Amino acid sequence: MSKNYKLVAIEVNAYYGDFHAIKNISLGLEEKAVTAFIGPSGCGKSTFLRLFNRMNDYIDGFRIDGEILLDQKDIYKKSVRVDELRKEVGMVFQKPNPFPKTIFENVVYGLRIQGISKKKVLEEAAERSLKQAALWEEVKDKLHKSALALSGGQQQRLCIARALANGPSVLLMDEPASALDPISTAKIEELIWELKKDYTIVIVTHNMQQAGRVSDHTAFFLSGELIEFAKTKSLFTNPKDQRTQNYITGRFG
Amino acid sequence: MPHIDEEIERLKKKLMQMWDVVEFQLVSGREAMINADQRLAKKIIKQGDKVNDYDVKIDRMCENFFALFTPVAVDLRVVLAILKINANLERIGDTAEGIAYFVREFESPLEQELLQATKVLEMYDEALSMFADCRRAFLDNDTELATQLIKRDKFLNKIYRKSDSIVIPYLKENPDKIKEGVALLSIIKKIERVGDQVSNVAEEIIFYRDAKVVKHQLKKKKKE
């Protein structure tokens, strides 16, 4: 596959016990671009997303075959350290999940775990990450207040800042705006648009318009299969597969 | 039927109501022209208001549809097509109205000799037939028929291009018929425009069904 691909899946199958959750999927995700995964609940899109930073590893009965390459290296090799992988591949979840700590401590949490304790390094990282997450102006005067006092939208941007502080090159986002109001959603979408200049972003979303607005490429999943993968503009104007058309036009099932 | 399909059906129905009125204008235009029928010409002109009302109504319905349903894929294409077909129908209505205005200038029916020489009736019949087939192509999602319509437009263009060379010598011999002759040339030009507008609608049908953009392709090919 082309070396432009940041992440590559090659003939990937994933199972939860007897359940065949991902069925022989191969695809390449472009570097510094946004790829959206769409599909009905239970189609495997979140499972597939979580393969990229091995979030499924601890689920009972989970197994995978095939290869997932990050910068051409197989991340499921035994020699790969999962904590190192997750520094490179950050993740943001559906529900904002700040720790019950200060804003500052939330952002530098990953760095402290890595053993970094120099105040200046931590402060610089916090400011940089909060600025990247478009939150700095709103919180710079209350960095040492509880993160739980922030609004839902701010908490989600804090979680993005926390992921960015570890210096990843890939951001995985699992429905990052589905619990937010339209204004906060718009801010997250703007942020994704900005962040793709520096990061490779993969987003799972149930919101078709969101996929249309933020992503460069869209993959449609159904029953564990990749049905269609195309440029977003093309998929939303002229899908090639009738199943994709039925889904995106709301005539599914 | 899903809500979105109901809305699309409502839009199509409204478009068909507009199509009926424009068809009346166009068909009556032929009759009015042959018989110099002032009363019918007046009626055609009056129907223009109705067409304009449909135009505004359909525009508004499409706007609402975009805002409320944020359509994609075939739903998006069908509403984009309806929006453009609406604009073309309105122009065809205007064209028929234009023909009616010329008819109002006629003091007597046009000379049979001139009608035959210019082939204007043949041209008009083909335009009417194209207009009817265009509606059929839209309702039956028949892109083959739509493609044929684009080709059939050439016949109208051919008659239009020859019209000057027929009417001008006639007028030299019959200077008292200048008013009718000039009006007839204008009517021929208008029928030629109907062919273009029907072609535009046919292109929209192909775009909506097959997601193919065929407009301007012929001109592009000619340039190459």
Coordinates of all heavy atoms in Angstrom, one line a residue, chain A residues 166-216:
Chain A
N166 N 0.3 14.1 25.3 CA 1.2 12.9 25.2 C 2.0 12.9 23.9 O 2.8 12.0 23.6 CB 0.4 11.6 25.3 CG -0.2 11.5 26.7 OD1 0.4 11.8 27.7 ND2 -1.4 11.0 26.8
G167 N 1.7 13.8 23.0 CA 2.4 13.9 21.7 C 2.0 12.8 20.7 O 2.9 12.3 20.1
P168 N 0.8 12.6 20.6 CA 0.4 11.5 19.6 C 0.5 12.0 18.1 O 0.7 13.2 17.9 CB -1.1 11.2 19.9 CG -1.6 12.6 20.4 CD -0.5 13.2 21.1
S169 N 0.5 11.1 17.2 CA 0.3 11.5 15.8 C -1.0 11.1 15.3 O -1.4 11.5 14.2 CB 1.4 10.9 15.0 OG 1.4 9.5 15.1
V170 N -1.7 10.3 16.0 CA -3.1 9.8 15.6 C -4.1 10.1 16.7 O -3.7 9.9 17.9 CB -3.1 8.3 15.3 CG1 -4.5 7.8 14.9 CG2 -2.1 8.0 14.1
L171 N -5.2 10.6 16.4 CA -6.3 10.7 17.4 C -7.5 9.9 16.9 O -8.0 10.1 15.8 CB -6.8 12.2 17.4 CG -6.2 13.1 18.5 CD1 -6.9 14.5 18.4 CD2 -6.3 12.5 19.9
L172 N -7.9 9.0 17.8 CA -9.1 8.2 17.6 C -10.3 8.9 18.4 O -10.1 9.2 19.5 CB -9.0 6.8 18.0 CG -7.7 6.1 17.5 CD1 -7.6 4.6 18.2 CD2 -7.7 6.0 16.0
M173 N -11.4 9.1 17.7 CA -12.5 9.8 18.4 C -13.8 8.9 18.2 O -14.2 8.7 17.1 CB -12.7 11.2 17.8 CG -11.5 12.1 18.0 SD -11.8 13.7 17.2 CE -11.0 14.7 18.4
D174 N -14.3 8.5 19.3 CA -15.5 7.6 19.3 C -16.7 8.4 19.6 O -17.0 8.7 20.8 CB -15.3 6.4 20.3 CG -16.3 5.3 20.0 OD1 -17.2 5.5 19.1 OD2 -16.1 4.2 20.6
E175 N -17.4 8.9 18.6 CA -18.6 9.8 18.8 C -18.3 10.9 19.8 O -18.9 11.1 20.8 CB -19.8 9.0 19.3 CG -20.2 7.9 18.4 CD -21.5 7.3 18.9 OE1 -22.4 8.0 19.2 OE2 -21.5 6.0 19.0
P176 N -17.3 11.8 19.5 CA -16.8 12.7 20.4 C -17.8 13.9 20.7 O -17.6 14.6 21.7 CB -15.5 13.3 19.8 CG -15.8 13.1 18.3 CD -16.6 11.9 18.2
A177 N -18.8 14.0 19.9 CA -19.7 15.2 20.1 C -21.2 14.7 20.3 O -22.1 15.5 20.4 CB -19.7 16.1 18.9
S178 N -21.4 13.4 20.5 CA -22.8 13.0 20.5 C -23.5 13.3 21.8 O -24.7 13.3 21.9 CB -22.9 11.5 20.3 OG -22.2 10.8 21.3
A179 N -22.7 13.7 22.9 CA -23.3 14.0 24.1 C -23.3 15.5 24.3 O -23.6 16.0 25.4 CB -22.6 13.4 25.3
L180 N -23.0 16.3 23.2 CA -22.9 17.7 23.4 C -23.9 18.5 22.7 O -24.5 18.0 21.7 CB -21.5 18.2 22.8 CG -20.3 17.4 23.4 CD1 -19.0 18.0 22.8 CD2 -20.2 17.6 24.9
D181 N -24.2 19.8 23.1 CA -25.2 20.6 22.4 C -24.6 21.1 21.1 O -23.4 21.0 20.8 CB -25.5 21.8 23.4 CG -24.4 22.7 23.6 OD1 -24.0 23.4 22.6 OD2 -23.9 22.8 24.7
P182 N -25.4 21.7 20.2 CA -24.9 22.1 18.9 C -23.8 23.1 18.9 O -22.9 23.0 18.0 CB -26.2 22.8 18.3 CG -27.3 22.2 19.0 CD -26.9 22.0 20.4
I183 N -23.7 24.0 19.9 CA -22.6 25.0 19.9 C -21.3 24.2 20.3 O -20.3 24.4 19.6 CB -22.8 26.1 21.0 CG1 -24.2 26.8 20.7 CG2 -21.7 27.1 21.0 CD1 -24.2 27.6 19.4
S184 N -21.3 23.4 21.3 CA -20.1 22.6 21.7 C -19.8 21.7 20.5 O -18.6 21.4 20.3 CB -20.4 21.8 22.9 OG -20.8 22.7 24.0
T185 N -20.8 21.1 19.9 CA -20.5 20.2 18.8 C -19.7 21.0 17.7 O -18.7 20.5 17.1 CB -21.8 19.6 18.2 OG1 -22.4 18.9 19.2 CG2 -21.6 18.8 17.0
A186 N -20.2 22.2 17.4 CA -19.6 23.0 16.3 C -18.1 23.3 16.7 O -17.2 23.2 15.8 CB -20.3 24.3 16.1
K187 N -17.9 23.5 18.0 CA -16.5 23.8 18.4 C -15.6 22.6 18.2 O -14.5 22.7 17.8 CB -16.5 24.2 19.9 CG -16.9 25.7 20.1 CD -16.8 26.1 21.5 CE -17.3 27.6 21.6 NZ -17.5 28.0 23.0
I188 N -16.2 21.4 18.6 CA -15.4 20.2 18.4 C -15.1 19.9 16.9 O -14.0 19.6 16.5 CB -16.1 18.9 19.0 CG1 -16.3 19.1 20.5 CG2 -15.4 17.6 18.7 CD1 -15.1 18.9 21.4
E189 N -16.1 20.2 16.1 CA -15.9 20.0 14.7 C -14.8 20.9 14.1 O -14.0 20.5 13.3 CB -17.2 20.1 13.9 CG -18.2 19.0 14.2 CD -19.5 19.1 13.5 OE1 -19.7 20.1 12.7 OE2 -20.4 18.3 13.7
E190 N -14.9 22.2 14.5 CA -13.9 23.2 14.1 C -12.5 22.7 14.5 O -11.5 22.8 13.8 CB -14.2 24.5 14.7 CG -15.2 25.4 14.0 CD -14.8 25.6 12.5 OE1 -13.7 26.0 12.2 OE2 -15.7 25.3 11.7
L191 N -12.5 22.2 15.8 CA -11.2 21.7 16.3 C -10.6 20.6 15.5 O -9.4 20.5 15.2 CB -11.5 21.3 17.8 CG -10.3 20.8 18.6 CD1 -9.2 21.9 18.6 CD2 -10.7 20.5 20.0
I192 N -11.5 19.6 15.1 CA -11.1 18.5 14.3 C -10.5 19.0 13.0 O -9.4 18.6 12.6 CB -12.2 17.5 14.1 CG1 -12.7 16.8 15.4 CG2 -11.9 16.5 13.0 CD1 -14.0 16.1 15.3
W193 N -11.2 20.0 12.4 CA -10.7 20.6 11.2 C -9.3 21.2 11.3 O -8.5 21.1 10.4 CB -11.7 21.6 10.7 CG -11.6 22.0 9.3 CD1 -11.3 23.2 8.8 CD2 -11.8 21.2 8.1 NE1 -11.3 23.2 7.4 CE2 -11.6 21.9 7.0 CE3 -12.2 19.8 8.0 CZ2 -11.7 21.4 5.7 CZ3 -12.3 19.3 6.7 CH2 -12.1 20.1 5.6
E194 N -9.1 21.9 12.4 CA -7.8 22.5 12.7 C -6.7 21.4 13.0 O -5.6 21.5 12.5 CB -7.9 23.4 13.9 CG -8.5 24.8 13.7 CD -7.6 25.6 12.7 OE1 -6.4 25.6 12.9 OE2 -8.2 26.1 11.7
L195 N -7.1 20.4 13.8 CA -6.1 19.4 14.2 C -5.6 18.6 13.1 O -4.5 18.0 13.2 CB -6.7 18.6 15.3 CG -6.9 19.2 16.7 CD1 -7.7 18.3 17.7 CD2 -5.6 19.6 17.3
K196 N -6.4 18.4 12.1 CA -5.9 17.5 11.0 C -4.7 18.0 10.3 O -4.1 17.3 9.5 CB -7.1 17.2 10.0 CG -7.3 18.2 9.0 CD -8.2 17.6 7.9 CE -8.4 18.6 6.8 NZ -9.1 18.1 5.7
K197 N -4.4 19.3 10.5 CA -3.1 19.8 9.9 C -1.9 19.1 10.5 O -0.9 19.0 9.8 CB -3.0 21.3 10.2 CG -4.0 22.2 9.4 CD -3.9 23.6 9.9 CE -5.1 24.4 9.3 NZ -5.4 25.6 10.1
D198 N -2.1 18.7 11.7 CA -0.9 18.0 12.4 C -1.2 16.6 12.8 O -0.2 15.9 13.1 CB -0.6 18.8 13.7 CG -0.3 20.2 13.4 OD1 0.6 20.4 12.6 OD2 -0.9 21.1 14.0
Y199 N -2.4 16.1 12.7 CA -2.7 14.8 13.2 C -3.5 14.0 12.2 O -4.3 14.6 11.4 CB -3.5 14.8 14.5 CG -2.8 15.6 15.6 CD1 -3.0 17.0 15.8 CD2 -2.0 14.9 16.5 CE1 -2.3 17.7 16.8 CE2 -1.3 15.6 17.5 CZ -1.5 17.0 17.7 OH -0.8 17.7 18.6
T200 N -3.4 12.7 12.3 CA -4.3 11.8 11.5 C -5.5 11.5 12.5 O -5.3 11.0 13.6 CB -3.5 10.5 11.2 OG1 -2.4 10.9 10.4 CG2 -4.4 9.6 10.4
I201 N -6.7 11.8 12.0 CA -7.8 11.6 12.9 C -8.8 10.6 12.3 O -9.1 10.6 11.1 CB -8.5 13.0 13.0 CG1 -7.5 14.0 13.7 CG2 -9.8 12.9 13.8 CD1 -8.0 15.4 13.8
V202 N -9.3 9.7 13.2 CA -10.3 8.8 12.8 C -11.5 9.0 13.8 O -11.3 9.0 15.0 CB -9.8 7.3 12.9 CG1 -10.8 6.4 12.3 CG2 -8.4 7.1 12.4
I203 N -12.6 9.2 13.2 CA -13.8 9.5 14.0 C -15.0 8.6 13.7 O -15.3 8.3 12.5 CB -14.2 11.0 13.8 CG1 -15.5 11.3 14.6 CG2 -14.4 11.4 12.4 CD1 -15.9 12.8 14.6
V204 N -15.5 8.0 14.8 CA -16.8 7.3 14.6 C -17.9 8.2 14.9 O -17.9 9.0 15.9 CB -16.8 6.1 15.7 CG1 -18.2 5.6 15.8 CG2 -15.9 5.0 15.2
T205 N -18.9 8.3 14.1 CA -20.0 9.1 14.3 C -21.3 8.5 13.8 O -21.3 7.8 12.8 CB -19.8 10.5 13.7 OG1 -20.9 11.3 14.0 CG2 -19.5 10.5 12.2
H206 N -22.4 8.8 14.5 CA -23.7 8.5 14.0 C -24.4 9.6 13.3 O -25.5 9.5 12.7 CB -24.6 8.1 15.2 CG -24.4 6.6 15.6 ND1 -24.2 6.3 16.9 CD2 -24.4 5.5 14.9 CE1 -24.1 4.9 16.9 NE2 -24.2 4.5 15.7
N207 N -23.7 10.8 13.3 CA -24.3 12.0 12.7 C -23.7 12.1 11.3 O -22.6 12.5 11.1 CB -23.8 13.1 13.6 CG -24.4 14.4 13.1 OD1 -24.7 14.6 11.9 ND2 -24.6 15.4 14.0
M208 N -24.6 11.8 10.3 CA -24.2 11.9 8.9 C -23.6 13.2 8.5 O -22.6 13.3 7.8 CB -25.4 11.6 8.0 CG -26.0 10.3 8.1 SD -24.9 9.0 7.7 CE -24.8 8.2 9.3
Q209 N -24.3 14.3 9.0 CA -23.9 15.6 8.6 C -22.5 15.9 9.2 O -21.7 16.6 8.6 CB -24.9 16.7 9.1 CG -26.2 16.7 8.2 CD -27.1 15.5 8.4 OE1 -27.3 15.1 9.6 NE2 -27.6 14.9 7.4
Q210 N -22.3 15.4 10.4 CA -21.0 15.6 11.0 C -19.9 14.9 10.2 O -18.8 15.5 9.9 CB -21.0 15.0 12.4 CG -19.7 15.3 13.1 CD -19.8 14.9 14.6 OE1 -19.9 13.8 15.0 NE2 -19.9 16.0 15.4
A211 N -20.2 13.7 9.8 CA -19.2 13.0 8.9 C -18.9 13.8 7.7 O -17.8 14.0 7.2 CB -19.7 11.6 8.6
G212 N -20.0 14.3 7.1 CA -19.9 15.2 5.9 C -19.1 16.4 6.1 O -18.2 16.8 5.3
R213 N -19.3 17.0 7.3 CA -18.6 18.3 7.5 C -17.1 18.2 7.9 O -16.3 19.0 7.5 CB -19.3 19.1 8.7 CG -20.6 19.7 8.3 CD -21.1 20.6 9.4 NE -21.4 19.8 10.7 CZ -22.6 19.4 11.1 NH1 -23.7 19.7 10.3 NH2 -22.8 18.8 12.2
V214 N -16.8 17.1 8.6 CA -15.4 17.1 9.1 C -14.5 16.2 8.4 O -13.3 16.3 8.5 CB -15.4 16.7 10.7 CG1 -16.2 17.7 11.5 CG2 -15.8 15.3 10.9
S215 N -15.0 15.2 7.7 CA -14.0 14.1 7.2 C -13.7 14.3 5.7 O -14.4 14.9 4.9 CB -14.6 12.8 7.4 OG -15.7 12.5 6.6
D216 N -12.5 13.8 5.4 CA -12.0 13.7 4.0 C -12.5 12.4 3.4 O -12.8 12.4 2.2 CB -10.5 13.8 4.0 CG -10.0 15.1 4.6 OD1 -10.2 16.1 4.0 OD2 -9.5 15.0 5.8

